Amino acid sequence: MDGRNGEERIVHEVAIVVPKRVREEKEEGDCVEVLVSELKKRGMVVDRVVGLADEFLKSNVGANYNTIQVAAPLETLGSAAAELHIRKPTRLGIDLPFEVQGSEAFFRQPDGSLFSWFERFHCYQHLLYGIVNSDGYDVTLKLDDKEFCWAAGESLVRRLESEGVIKQMFPLHDELNRKELLKTWALNWWNFTNQPIDQIYSYFGAKIGVYFSFLGMYTRWLLFPALLGIIVQMIDFGSLQFLVLPSFFVSTILWAALFLQFWKRKNAALLARWQINYLVGPSQGYRFIGMEWSSLPFPKELIKNLGNEKFKEKEAYQRYEWFAYRKRFRNDVLVIMTIICLQLPFELAYAHIYEIITSDTIKFLLTAIYLLIIQYLTRLGGKVSVKLINREINESVEYRANSLIYKVFGLYFMQTYIGIFYHVLLHRNFMTLRQVLIQRLIISQVFWTLMDGSLPYLKYSYRKFRARKKKKSEGGPTTGKILIASRVEKEYFKPTYSASIGVELEDGLFDDFLELALQFGMIMMFACAFPLAFTLAAVSNVMEMRTNALKLLVTLRRPLPRAAATIGAWLNIWQFLVVMSICTNSALLVCLYDQEGKWKIEPGLAAILIMEHVLLLLKFGLSRLVPEEPAWVRANRMKNVTQAQDMYCKQLLRSISGEFSSMAKSQQEGAVET
């Protein structure tokens, strides 16, 4: 459903993959026919598409259809939203549960539609899984020679999934909006860092919209240190050279601290513009309004036994909370010990071999092989982290995702930087260090580009090849090329937007954020050794924006919408990398000036230590001096809170007045009777 220009446009947004029927004649109780009938009863628009994919069915004889496209008109979505009690911002400035009769009072999305993509997909899930057997008795369903029972009160979709009738369900691209984004975003190279963020949010959801807004702002801010890095790297300042690197170091730290603070302001402004409400807590960052104790994963026995005595209730929650912390701490220790015992010797061996090799070509090949091996080992560690997290006790999916991010980033942090630290601390060879940084930046960029662009396309092409080969082997045309004309089937062949470590907790943004974080750590922690790295990072990010856009719009399925409204744990990681950068660059300056004899080690070390402490104070001071929200966002929020309080107070007064009036009336009637 699209509401641009005030007109409703029916768009098929969900595809259901079902088997092709072997028999041509329709049977009574055919499960797919029952599904189509029930979908129409729920008010959805259904369309069938024939395809050739061998995954759909083992036989193609007498095929009628193999995919069902589903669209929901505005009335159907509105009814589902009202049943789900979805809270939406109103023109009064407060969030209220959606009601069909008062739909005009609710804010619309930037593209003009009433519901966001996340809300629409939530409604689709409710409509699809809400189809239950309301006849009061079991119904026998059939698919060719297979029969199974649809029990009374059971969800039809879940039953068909368990029987293998529904192969997959996935969201579909909207061709009109997809082509518009291709034109204005993915293929629009002239705008460099400018992106249609509101359109991206409307089409992909808040999480992807926030990511591309962050990437665009980060790339624009990189232009300053990139230009400064070119000046420092290319110009010989003569006798003032010993002051240039400390000045560049101070500038980059202040730049990074300001960037992160202004990103928080940008994020708050985006959420205000998109009418997304959130709470800011000291320990958990941004959190959606509406999470209640009932939604947390406490054991049922604990919930059942609470409420008898206040002290016992408090003690039970505290015991359960510390039990969860203990399990998370145990898993963190396991990850750290694994890194130390298995990965650290491998990293040190690579760094030592690299130092004794004399040929630059062999060094480059060694680095490439090393990075490929370490990528495999780290992904294996990431999958182990997923299994550990599944045994943890976390309050929400957001907490579980953050725990996964911290663990996996710890693995990548060690494999990315431990060899570089070895060069710095033991050899103090700046030329070797600079060579290592150049090689790693180039190889990492090539690797991530291939992973982002080429691998999904190769998967897509291979799946199409298998389908065509299967079609020919089962009696298809022997001459000419078998074409895949259906848009739905093309979507089916495309890979999903998933994380490299698995799809349990995270989508493909996990890898994209990880790539940015590793790049940021590389250019920041060794800024004094290779100032030109900021320029390479800026160029890389401009390409990254377009390749990621093409990946999402062309080579991948439409991602499932996620409700995250900020970059979450990644912001804490970037803050950590800024602090690490202060320490590592201070150590680099000590090594540099001690090696070249510019300063004596005692006064040089003292000056750098003082500068390090001053920068740490400035970094944390800027987080207090620069507000995290723009003034207009705070003013709007206070205005909304005031309006909500006034409205609730008026309702309460009317309710109290009505109760007193009814009481007085009943008393008067009683007095008259007596």
Side-chain angles (χ1 to χ4, degrees):
M1 193 279 298
D2 187 7
R4 290 185 296 183
N5 301 322
E7 298 180 359
E8 182 181 358
R9 178 172 63 90
I10 302 298
V11 179
H12 293 95
E13 295 186 297
V14 175
I16 305 174
V17 181
V18 295
K20 295 180 179 180
R21 236 187 352 250
V22 175
R23 301 173 182 172
E24 291 190 20
E25 67 277 3
K26 294 183 180 180
E27 297 179 299
E28 183 180 356
D30 184 280
C31 60
V32 179
E33 291 295 332
V34 172
L35 174 62
V36 171
S37 175
E38 292 293 335
L39 290 173
K40 291 179 178 179
K41 288 180 183 178
R42 295 281 282 178
M44 287 180 275
V45 179
V46 181
D47 188 20
R48 303 177 180 182
V49 181
V50 179
L52 55 86
D54 59 335
E55 289 88 351
F56 290 164
L57 194 66
K58 296 179 181 178
S59 175
N60 281 328
V61 180
N64 288 324
Y65 54 86
N66 53 29
T67 55
I68 300 173
Q69 296 182 95
V70 179
L74 182 59
E75 295 79 5
T76 305
L77 289 175
S79 300
E83 293 174 6
L84 290 168
H85 303 290
I86 292 178
R87 300 184 69 87
K88 292 179 61 63
T90 64
R91 302 183 189 279
L92 298 174
I94 58 176
D95 285 7
L96 294 175
F98 181 80
E99 294 182 0
V100 178
Q101 295 81 2
S103 60
E104 294 300 324
F106 293 92
F107 274 111
R108 290 187 172 265
Q109 300 299 309
D111 63 348
S113 58
L114 182 59
F115 298 102
S116 67
W117 169 226
F118 176 78
E119 292 168 341
R120 294 202 306 276
F121 193 77
H122 192 189
C123 291
Y124 274 111
Q125 288 180 315
H126 174 72
L127 290 168
L128 292 171
Y129 287 98
I131 299 174
V132 297
N133 182 1
S134 57
D135 293 336
Y137 54 85
D138 296 350
V139 176
T140 301
L141 300 179
K142 301 177 182 178
L143 180 66
D144 296 325
D145 296 329
K146 181 179 181 180
E147 291 187 2
F148 53 91
C149 180
W150 180 24
E154 184 182 18
S155 170
L156 175 61
V157 172
R158 294 194 186 279
R159 183 60 177 171
L160 294 181
E161 286 178 334
S162 65
E163 295 292 336
V165 176
I166 293 181
K167 306 293 184 181
Q168 290 186 33
M169 286 197 301
F170 57 90
L172 290 171
H173 278 290
D174 177 2
E175 282 300 295
L176 183 63
N177 289 329
R178 188 183 72 87
K179 290 178 179 178
E180 180 68 21
L181 282 172
L182 274 173
K183 179 181 177 182
T184 60
W185 178 34
L187 302 177
N188 188 12
W189 288 85
W190 292 106
N191 280 336
F192 293 106
T193 61
N194 292 331
Q195 303 174 96
I197 295 299
D198 288 342
Q199 288 179 261
I200 297 170
Y201 158 71
S202 299
Y203 190 72
F204 290 113
K207 188 174 183 181
I208 292 180
V210 167
Y211 165 75
F212 279 103
S213 178
F214 178 81
L215 177 58
M217 182 176 174
Y218 171 49
T219 305
R220 286 192 297 273
W221 275 64
L222 268 177
L223 297 179
F224 167 72
L227 179 61
L228 202 59
I230 293 174
I231 295 173
V232 172
Q233 191 85 37
M234 300 300 180
I235 298 178
D236 184 7
F237 291 90
S239 60
L240 296 177
Q241 189 70 32
F242 74 97
L243 293 176
V244 171
L245 285 180
S247 301
F248 179 73
F249 163 45
V250 172
S251 301
T252 55
I253 295 299
L254 294 178
W255 164 84
L258 286 172
F259 163 69
L260 293 178
Q261 284 303 115
F262 276 92
W263 162 249
K264 295 177 185 178
R265 293 171 59 86
K266 173 74 172 179
N267 200 172
L270 281 176
L271 299 185
R273 193 165 79 210
W274 296 339
Q275 300 295 328
I276 298 176
N277 291 327
Y278 57 90
L279 292 174
V280 181
S283 62
Q284 53 198 26
Y286 298 97
R287 181 168 62 92
F288 277 108
I289 294 175
M291 176 178 283
E292 300 176 355
W293 282 103
S294 59
S295 67
L296 302 182
F298 294 108
K300 294 181 180 179
E301 295 78 10
L302 178 61
I303 301 293
K304 189 183 298 183
N305 295 331
L306 292 179
N308 298 329
E309 296 183 20
K310 199 71 176 178
F311 178 76
K312 290 184 178 180
E313 177 181 347
K314 179 179 178 181
E315 183 181 7
Y317 274 114
Q318 287 180 340
R319 184 169 60 252
Y320 191 78
E321 177 187 18
W322 285 108
F323 177 70
Y325 284 151
R326 188 183 67 183
K327 294 191 74 173
R328 285 198 292 271
F329 178 76
R330 179 203 64 188
N331 292 343
D332 293 340
V333 170
L334 285 175
V335 172
I336 293 172
M337 294 303 297
T338 302
I339 293 172
I340 294 174
C341 297
L342 299 179
Q343 197 167 354
L344 186 59
F346 178 75
E347 299 285 349
L348 295 179
Y350 157 75
H352 181 70
I353 294 172
Y354 186 94
E355 193 68 28
I356 63 177
I357 292 175
T358 56
S359 173
D360 292 339
T361 304
I362 297 178
K363 286 183 176 181
F364 190 87
L365 291 174
L366 175 66
T367 303
I369 295 171
Y370 156 78
L371 289 177
L372 288 175
I373 294 174
I374 211 66
Q375 285 289 335
Y376 173 78
L377 293 176
T378 309
R379 291 189 180 190
L380 185 62
K383 292 180 180 180
V384 173
S385 298
V386 170
K387 294 185 180 296
L388 290 174
I389 287 168
N390 289 333
R391 297 178 177 272
E392 291 181 358
I393 302 171
N394 292 284
E395 294 182 4
S396 65
V397 174
E398 182 184 356
Y399 275 76
R400 297 176 69 198
N402 288 346
S403 180
L404 175 66
I405 289 170
Y406 292 134
K407 288 179 175 61
V408 176
F409 180 78
L411 294 170
Y412 273 89
F413 182 86
M414 292 294 291
Q415 69 93 359
T416 303
Y417 305 122
I418 191 66
I420 304 177
F421 291 152
Y422 178 84
H423 288 296
V424 173
L425 298 177
L426 298 184
H427 296 281
R428 300 189 180 186
N429 189 331
F430 263 60
M431 293 305 297
T432 302
L433 176 59
R434 187 168 296 174
Q435 187 180 34
V436 170
L437 291 173
I438 294 173
Q439 291 176 355
R440 290 209 176 194
L441 284 171
I442 293 175
I443 294 174
S444 297
Q445 181 58 39
V446 171
F447 174 80
W448 286 109
T449 302
L450 290 175
M451 291 293 295
D452 284 347
S454 302
L455 192 59
Y457 180 75
L458 291 175
K459 288 181 179 179
Y460 174 51
S461 301
Y462 176 69
R463 290 178 180 178
K464 289 195 298 183
F465 169 76
R466 283 183 56 198
R468 292 191 178 109
K469 185 177 179 181
K470 184 72 174 179
K471 180 70 174 180
K472 287 185 177 180
S473 66
E474 293 181 349
T478 57
T479 61
K481 184 178 181 181
I482 300 176
L483 298 178
I484 301 176
S486 167
R487 176 180 69 90
V488 181
E489 194 170 7
K490 289 179 181 178
E491 295 290 324
Y492 174 76
F493 286 124
K494 293 178 180 179
T496 57
Y497 186 49
S498 58
S500 58
I501 59 173
V503 298
E504 289 88 347
L505 297 177
E506 277 292 329
D507 55 16
L509 282 180
F510 180 89
D511 293 334
D512 293 330
F513 269 122
L514 177 63
E515 179 184 357
L516 280 184
L518 294 176
Q519 179 203 82
F520 181 75
M522 185 79 72
I523 64 176
M524 284 297 299
M525 288 197 294
F526 308 101
C528 291
F530 188 38
L532 201 61
F534 289 90
T535 306
L536 298 178
V539 174
S540 171
N541 286 353
V542 171
M543 297 177 61
E544 182 76 11
M545 276 188 285
R546 307 306 167 189
T547 55
N548 282 351
L550 287 171
K551 175 180 67 175
L552 288 171
L553 293 170
V554 177
T555 59
L556 295 176
R557 290 180 186 174
R558 190 177 184 180
L560 296 175
R562 303 273 182 163
T566 70
I567 63 174
W570 295 108
L571 183 61
N572 296 332
I573 288 174
W574 282 55
Q575 300 277 16
F576 162 76
L577 290 174
V578 173
V579 176
M580 284 293 298
S581 301
I582 296 174
C583 302
T584 55
N585 281 283
S586 298
L588 284 173
L589 290 176
V590 171
C591 297
L592 175 66
Y593 289 114
D594 177 41
Q595 185 182 26
E596 296 187 357
K598 299 292 183 181
W599 296 346
K600 292 182 179 180
I601 186 66
E602 292 83 2
L605 179 60
I608 293 172
L609 285 175
I610 293 173
M611 182 173 62
E612 178 189 29
H613 285 70
V614 170
L615 286 174
L616 286 171
L617 290 174
L618 285 174
K619 190 268 175 194
F620 291 108
L622 287 173
S623 62
R624 296 291 179 265
L625 293 176
V626 180
E628 295 187 4
E629 289 182 328
W632 67 270
V633 174
R634 291 196 302 273
N636 282 347
R637 190 175 68 251
M638 294 303 298
K639 176 184 175 182
N640 294 341
V641 170
T642 303
Q643 288 179 344
Q645 289 177 344
D646 292 343
M647 190 183 75
Y648 287 136
C649 287
K650 290 177 182 179
Q651 288 182 344
L652 182 61
L653 287 174
R654 283 196 294 267
S655 176
I656 294 174
S657 300
E659 290 179 1
F660 275 108
S661 298
S662 60
M663 289 175 59
K665 185 176 180 181
S666 61
Q667 289 176 356
Q668 290 177 359
E669 292 176 351
V672 170
E673 291 177 357
T674 56

